Amino acid sequence: LLSGIDHVGIAVADLDTAIDFQHETFGLVLTHSEVNEDQGVREAMLAAPGDTTGATRVQLLAPMREDSAIAKFLDRNGPGLQQLAYRVTDVDAACEALRTKGVRLLYEAPRRGTANSRINFVHPKDAGGVLVELVEPAR
Ligand code: CMX
């Protein structure tokens, strides 16, 4: 069901500072940014300059509200890797298959993710300590 690694997400305090840091230090190029009100984040997608497919990105996530998942993560851990996102062709089918295996999904039904993708998350306690996001890109 998985078609690739979509992105890895890093929690940051300030989005613009983090974009500059990734660009100046690693040469990553900003390809997309948006506000996701539902998730309470400002976010950016960055690509490796030599990656011609541009399929796997680094996502930077900055909190917009104190009650957001990213604000809570930063309070508890400070900045750092927050999630690993797998790309799927059908997020409903992927969630169903995982539920059958006894894995907890965070949402009853998929929600809106980056660029109108449909997303859900596997609880980190059911995925080896990693918050796994499932992403079905918009068509
Ligand atoms: N990675 C790994 N472990 C994590 C984690 C993370 N990102 N976030 C929490 N945990 C661990 C905690 O360390 C804690 O472990 P201990 O009990 O051993 O201390 C445990 O999970 C806590 O679980 P919880 O109390 O059930 O949940 P929290 O209130 O800490 O929230 C989570 C965790 C995953 C449910 C919450 O962050 C969430 O709902 N995430 C999904 C949404 C999200 O991350 N949005 C931001 C990104 C938006 C986007 O990608 O578009």
Side-chain angles (χ1 to χ4, degrees):
L1 279 169
L2 300 192
S3 60
I5 295 173
D6 193 85
H7 62 266
V8 289
I10 301 174
V12 304
D14 183 84
L15 193 65
D16 296 325
T17 305
I19 292 168
D20 287 348
F21 171 78
Q22 292 291 338
H23 182 67
E24 278 155 28
T25 312
F26 300 112
L28 293 183
V29 180
L30 178 68
T31 57
H32 177 84
S33 68
E34 70 177 77
V35 164
N36 185 330
E37 291 285 350
D38 182 42
Q39 293 288 337
V41 293
R42 283 185 69 212
E43 56 166 275
M45 287 293 193
L46 292 85
D51 178 5
T52 49
T53 69
T56 305
R57 278 85 41 85
V58 170
Q59 181 184 46
L60 303 175
L61 297 154
M64 294 203 311
R65 301 191 294 267
E66 257 321 298
D67 65 346
S68 63
I70 294 301
K72 194 163 177 190
F73 182 92
L74 286 171
D75 285 345
R76 195 182 285 178
N77 309 285
L81 275 185
Q82 188 256 351
Q83 58 169 270
L84 165 65
Y86 292 134
R87 190 177 313 115
V88 296
T89 47
D90 180 341
V91 71
D92 301 292
C95 291
E96 230 10 80
L98 288 166
R99 284 192 184 100
T100 305
K101 295 180 203 276
V103 169
R104 277 171 298 166
L105 280 299
L106 293 186
Y107 308 142
E108 200 49 39
R111 291 193 190 167
R112 186 195 163 278
T114 309
N116 286 322
S117 56
R118 299 174 69 231
I119 61 169
N120 206 335
F121 293 86
V122 177
H123 196 283
K125 293 294 169 192
D126 289 356
V130 177
L131 175 61
V132 171
E133 181 178 356
L134 304 170
V135 186
E136 178 190 317
R139 278 161 217 279

